[in-house]
Amino acid sequence: MTRNLLVRLGLATAGALVLAGCSGGGSGGGGAAGGEAGLIAVAASDDSCDVDVAELPAGTHTFAVTNNGNRVTEFYVYAEGDRVMGEVENIAPGLTRELIVELAAGDYQTACKPGMIGDGIRNDLTVTGEAERLTEDELLAQATEDYSRYVQSQTVALTEKNDEFVAAILAGDIPGAKALFPVARTYWERIEPVAEIFGDLDPAIDGREGDQAEGEEFTGWHRLEYDLWVLGDVSQSGPIAEKLQVDVAEVVELANTTELSPIQLANGAKELLDEIATGKITGEEDRYSHTDLWDFAANLEGSEAAVQALRPALEERDPELVVALDTEFADATAALEVHRSGDGWQFHDQLSADQLQALSDAINALAEEVSQVAGVIAG
Amino acid sequence: MSEETRAAPGAGSGPRLSRRRLFGLAGAGTAGVLAGGGVGFLLGDSVAEAGGPGGPGGRTGGAGYGDLAAATEFDGAHQAGIVTPAQDRLHFAAFDIVTDDRTELQAMLQEWTAAARRMTRGEAAGEGGAIPEVAESPPDDTGEALDLPASGLTITVGFGPGMFVGPGGADRFGLAARKPEALEDLPAFPGDTLRPEISSGDLCIQACAHDPQVAVHAVRNLARIGFGVVSVRWSQLGFGRTSSTSVGQQTPRNLFGFKDGTNNLKAEAGSALEDNVWVQSGDGPEWLTGGSYVVSRRIAMTIETWDRTSLVEQEQIIGRTKREGAPLGTGEEFDPVDLTAASISENAHIRLANPNSNEGSALLRRGYSFVDGTTELGRLDAGLFFLAYQRDPRTGFIRVQRNLRTDLMNEYIRHTSSAIFACPPGVDGPDDYWGRALFD
């Protein structure tokens, strides 16, 4: 956890926002908007991703994603540069989930991510019709709206996975809880700059041992991490787990009524990379479980999502920076990819100093470019 | 007299003063880095200009260092090296006491005092000097400071908690009853990432000089004298001061690029020094009256992430402008910090560290920038070796550091070493020695 940039800049959190095109659960969601073009079926498995159509008219569409595989999957619609237009997380085997997304004319890609990792299985999607021409202000407004939608879908998955994690703790299922720990945290780590805005909740949820003021209890994920990995005993962990569940629910509610300004988005993207540099590459964050690379991947994905939300505006203002950002995000992702292990990652203590330095260098190179974004947006 | 003089007395003020020599040495110093202000001093007369037009030029002209080659007075009511205008270079060393013999310890302190007195004058550490009459003998002085002037050297000694009470509460040298209550290992602070092997210590030496080689020479020779009695536990070089301790000095910049120590307690503070720096009669055991407590903290900076932080955010974190060092919302460096000003963030460093946010606690800071090469991740292993003198650590550093728990700066720093020492009062003439009143 870190002190938050957004707080320190004294920028207000905006009021409620309109959430475009996201349906979290199996409730069917979409209503009238979804009905316009009918459902687009997506059949996902562990090694395929069949999307009903490759061309669509501009407008609002609903994808119904069915997971026929054995691994949890995710479904994304990306604009150029992997700008997230919409995504649905945490689709368990056998489940169907819907995604409502509004698409202007242009070239897109869809992606299924079995195991929730990597680039996923991609398909091209062409949307035809009148291309919109947005003003710069509209592009920026679009960016914050797109990112809010991203936050919304992350918080849905955060709640679900964290509930599973808490349930495993309460059931005394140590192996199950250990497996869920880095996965539940992934959704938090992707949107950490947003989640951190809310003062006391961040330290309570994500504080590390020794961060507490005198008289403050060590709570949250890292306390449970300690119980799981060091104590190997969760018989006394129930109250901590239940408090975590309550705190996460509160953060989720707050996060979903908050809209970031474009500058905050840009700074948040940089902040996530600084988190990697100071917390994950050093192994500080997950010092008992050594699952730092899960957080690393999530921070990197979250940073890219925030930067790409700004992409249309950046292309207007500084196309060379967009090229540099694409290159460096690709390089950093490739540097991390070396350490993939199954559906997860190697543990931090399995990496040599040279390997960690290579990761550190890749993040430094990327973060230098990302740190330019705020100035371009403000300028 | 058999004492060997390293450099002719008065050499510093005559035409033969080798300013070039000083400059060259400084440039080839521990890190090869010179602060801009330092250059101004070293090159001589244009100090006020170095402050820049409209800057605090008037405050940096006159007093301050005076002559960079000159010797500092060794004797006095207080030890030198505390309110002495902060020199440019530091070598700080902490020692473990390895003897069980009180007499040996006492004798070493006598020897240290005598050697320190000589070196402060610009002379050799031992009476035999660097070039002994009998060539079959090893030199009494290690020699690297031959031909160098005194360079403002001060040597300041401090006693750690372990000198009074050993492991398990053992009264190692019959001094336990004389241990000041305030001399306790510092408590753990939120966010500490201390490395025990470079923390604490039974004794410390702070050597400051305008020439890094003179400072290193002092520690090296004292460590040599101490063999068998003490063993170096850890040591730290500092290449550039990060505080002013006199109103005559220009405020230096730390490695964050910000002026540091603007609001420091300074030598001219008068009664505020009695209130905040010097131990007063009745505060504790009488042997420490006129002394002070020094807290050392090696504060590593996460340089790379700081450097890509926007200017506006850097300034919000510190609470001052980068160019002038003015409190946000004001125009000049020495404008008072207005804690009611909305322009200074709730958790800005200068707000939380301000005496008015800490029940009036003020510290005399005397820190130094360091670069200890690179980390194993290929990052600059750099930061600020924080030194602060105070009358009582409980109402000094401990109180302030607790208040810094929510400091925005914490994201960019890691405290990696911590120590505390009680510095006895100054010595009074050649027959006196450091800590005499403690052993008497």
Side-chain angles (χ1 to χ4, degrees), chain A residues 169-180:
Chain A
I169 297 270
L170 294 178
D173 174 10
I174 289 180
K178 280 183 169 180
L180 282 161

Side-chain angles (χ1 to χ4, degrees), chain B residues 294-364:
Chain B
V294 64
V295 165
S296 72
R297 306 279 288 187
R298 183 182 183 276
I299 304 174
M301 296 173 172
T302 60
I303 298 279
E304 289 77 6
T305 54
W306 174 264
D307 289 347
R308 53 184 175 247
T309 301
S310 69
L311 176 64
V312 61
E313 191 183 336
Q314 291 185 3
E315 292 185 336
Q316 292 279 0
I317 290 168
I318 305 293
R320 290 185 182 274
T321 62
K322 198 161 192 178
R323 175 68 263 175
E324 297 297 334
L328 292 182
T330 70
E332 305 269 343
E333 180 188 353
F334 290 96
D335 286 346
V337 177
D338 175 7
L339 292 181
T340 64
S343 49
I344 299 172
S345 158
E346 278 301 298
N347 297 313
H349 181 71
I350 64 162
R351 177 186 291 280
L352 297 178
N354 192 281
N356 293 328
S357 302
N358 293 284
E359 301 171 54
S361 292
L363 306 170
L364 186 143

